[in-house]
Amino acid sequence: IFLIFTAVAGHAQNYDESKVPSYILPDVLKTSSGKKVKSVKTWEKERRPEILKMFENNIYGQMPMAYDSVRRSITTEEGAAMGGKAKLKQVTIEVFKNRKSVKIDVVLFTPTKATGPVPVFLLINNRPNDNTDPTRQKKSEFWPAEMVIDSGFAIAAFHVNDLAPDNKDTYMNGVLQLYPEQLKADNGMKAIGAWAWGASRVMDYFEKDADIDAKKVIVVGHSRGGKASLWAAAEDQRFAACVTNCSGNSGAALARRQFGERISRINTTFPHWFNNNYKKFNDKENSLPVDQHMLIALIAPRPVYATNASKDLWADPKGTYLSLKNAESVYNLYKIKSQLPATPPAINVPLPNPPLGYHIREGEHNMTEFDWREFLVFAKGI
Ligand code: GTR
């Protein structure tokens, strides 16, 4: 009975700020050989690649980008969707490698009033597919396409299940069929990596679509999708900016605070999200060579917007804010000044200014119209 009790207690989440242990974050601006990083050049040539490798090896896995060929078919094209204000394209991207393939279905609305290529929000959708209904019979504030179109932006989405089913027994039936060596490696790609890989394949497509300004693609994700949107932007520097909504543990929140969800818990409930090596850090946050502020730093100097919700302590709102704050030193190297104050803003007081945006919305773990309204303000500043 004692053993059972300690096992459960070891996984109990802490919601009490006074019980957050003291911790020391790894220094984002010091190389593993102890050299202080003082220039963009040293950052880009030495420290950034080293940090990226540490995230690949210890958390998200490798990101194989090579494939044999791709076939893109536009399955639907409608010039007057949404009562005329948008153009709809549905695109199937089929990627081939070693005689295996994976298909990604993309829905894309662009504003008809656009006179040239427009910036686009790309959602990595982890919620039910009908949230991004191309017919617009179902409308969802998770992906408020009309509102985005009205602001002059394009909006697109694909579903995570096309890349890796979100299930520990079947996640390998997707991208990982193309890269079977990944399944055998302890630092191999898993589901979150596969979802981020999908965002990059949609990016390849955007580079070929004349309606889209491929230099202004904002990758967006909520929660597990927000972990993937960060990883996509870290791995693929073509993304202009990243929105990570309520992404919490192994997303935008610092692991060392051990507040809300912890690594041991996420690895137990979702063993298919992160690589095998990550399991070594169960209940050992302080042994990780990285923390999540360094994931934000990998995206610098490109803008990042992180959000939380007041009733979503599981995702550690304060730890998310601290991640952004602790990434500021890398933006400073680029002489890009963060607008974030020293302490987090009050509930419902958004800070949508690039390069680092943040808000905590009143309410539950979700992505809502409130959140999107601020993403639009942020995007206009990019
Ligand atoms: C939870 C998980 C979180 C977050 C969330 C979601 O169960 O613990 O890390 O990813 O699911 O995706 O909504």
Side-chain angles (χ1 to χ4, degrees):
I1 286 168
F2 177 71
L3 279 176
I4 291 168
F5 174 76
T6 47
V8 171
H11 285 96
Q13 69 274 16
N14 174 39
Y15 285 147
D16 179 351
E17 197 57 45
S18 73
K19 294 204 174 103
V20 169
S22 63
Y23 58 86
I24 299 168
L25 292 178
D27 188 340
V28 67
L29 290 182
K30 195 188 255 169
T31 68
S32 45
S33 61
K35 182 162 137 194
K36 192 94 192 99
V37 178
K38 292 188 191 132
S39 68
V40 167
K41 191 171 163 227
T42 315
W43 167 253
E44 290 184 353
K45 294 259 158 353
E46 290 181 47
R47 185 56 172 155
R48 187 183 184 278
E50 177 176 277
I51 294 174
L52 188 62
K53 271 271 162 309
M54 291 193 281
F55 276 106
E56 287 178 352
N57 286 339
N58 297 296
I59 306 184
Y60 305 100
Q62 300 169 79
M63 180 71 80
M65 290 286 193
Y67 49 84
D68 296 336
S69 60
V70 62
R71 187 190 300 147
R72 303 187 183 100
S73 19
I74 303 203
T75 56
T76 306
E77 189 157 16
E78 203 186 311
M82 291 182 181
K85 67 185 179 188
K87 190 158 116 183
L88 164 68
K89 272 186 225 164
Q90 288 180 265
V91 187
T92 300
I93 302 171
E94 187 170 12
V95 185
F96 296 84
K97 177 112 187 7
N98 298 332
R99 276 181 236 104
K100 295 264 172 42
S101 77
V102 66
K103 275 188 192 168
I104 315 167
D105 288 324
V106 181
V107 47
L108 166 65
F109 286 102
T110 49
T112 37
K113 66 171 186 214
T115 52
V118 288
V120 62
F121 287 93
L122 171 64
L123 174 70
I124 302 176
N125 184 21
N126 61 296
R127 290 274 181 98
N129 225 339
D130 63 359
N131 275 320
T132 64
D133 180 13
T135 71
R136 306 314 292 150
Q137 268 155 22
K138 182 183 165 184
K139 294 195 179 70
S140 156
E141 58 172 348
F142 195 74
W143 194 72
E146 284 73 9
M147 183 173 114
V148 173
I149 289 294
D150 288 343
S151 302
F153 289 82
I155 183 164
F158 66 93
H159 200 272
V160 295
N161 286 348
D162 287 357
L163 287 313
D166 193 1
N167 177 301
K168 71 175 170 43
D169 300 316
T170 57
Y171 74 94
M172 63 293 280
N173 300 327
V175 179
L176 287 160
Q177 298 295 307
L178 279 57
Y179 304 103
E181 72 286 354
Q182 294 292 320
L183 283 169
K184 291 185 212 120
D186 285 338
N187 66 350
M189 169 194 267
K190 293 246 190 174
I192 301 266
W195 304 342
W197 182 94
S200 286
R201 301 295 72 79
V202 180
M203 183 62 168
D204 300 342
Y205 163 74
F206 286 151
E207 290 184 323
K208 307 258 184 263
D209 186 326
D211 291 335
I212 297 299
D213 181 352
K215 298 243 166 339
K216 290 206 171 150
V217 180
I218 303 159
V219 61
V220 182
H222 164 68
S223 204
R224 64 197 72 187
K227 306 180 208 289
S229 70
L230 283 167
W231 186 233
E235 277 284 355
D236 190 336
Q237 294 180 276
R238 293 175 298 170
F239 290 109
C242 175
V243 171
T244 183
N245 194 82
C246 298
S247 62
N249 184 272
S250 312
L254 291 178
R256 279 168 174 73
R257 278 172 44 81
Q258 305 176 18
F259 188 98
E261 186 171 31
R262 290 186 57 185
I263 294 172
S264 50
R265 179 64 182 266
I266 209 165
N267 277 333
T268 309
T269 323
F270 307 103
H272 59 293
W273 283 1
F274 307 102
N275 70 24
N276 296 345
N277 286 334
Y278 201 33
K279 277 80 182 170
K280 293 183 201 152
F281 301 97
N282 288 351
D283 298 317
K284 292 199 181 70
E285 283 84 353
N286 290 299
S287 315
L288 263 172
V290 290
D291 209 316
Q292 299 305 115
H293 64 304
M294 293 156 92
L295 183 59
I296 312 278
L298 287 177
I299 304 173
R302 295 164 294 149
V304 177
Y305 197 148
T307 72
N308 287 109
S310 63
K311 292 187 180 146
D312 187 17
L313 294 183
W314 186 240
D316 190 8
K318 185 171 172 195
T320 301
Y321 194 75
L322 290 174
S323 257
L324 297 174
K325 289 298 290 178
N326 282 287
E328 285 177 338
S329 57
V330 178
Y331 288 85
N332 290 342
L333 278 184
Y334 287 90
K335 311 247 180 308
I336 296 176
K337 198 155 171 32
S338 162
Q339 312 286 309
L340 296 177
T343 51
I347 292 165
N348 286 352
V349 179
L351 303 171
N353 292 328
L356 293 165
Y358 179 86
H359 70 242
I360 174 163
R361 166 182 48 76
E362 185 175 359
E364 313 280 346
H365 179 69
N366 196 3
M367 187 155 68
T368 70
E369 216 172 284
F370 179 102
D371 300 315
W372 277 96
R373 216 174 299 129
E374 301 309 323
F375 303 161
L376 285 163
V377 178
F378 171 72
K380 282 176 191 148
I382 292 169

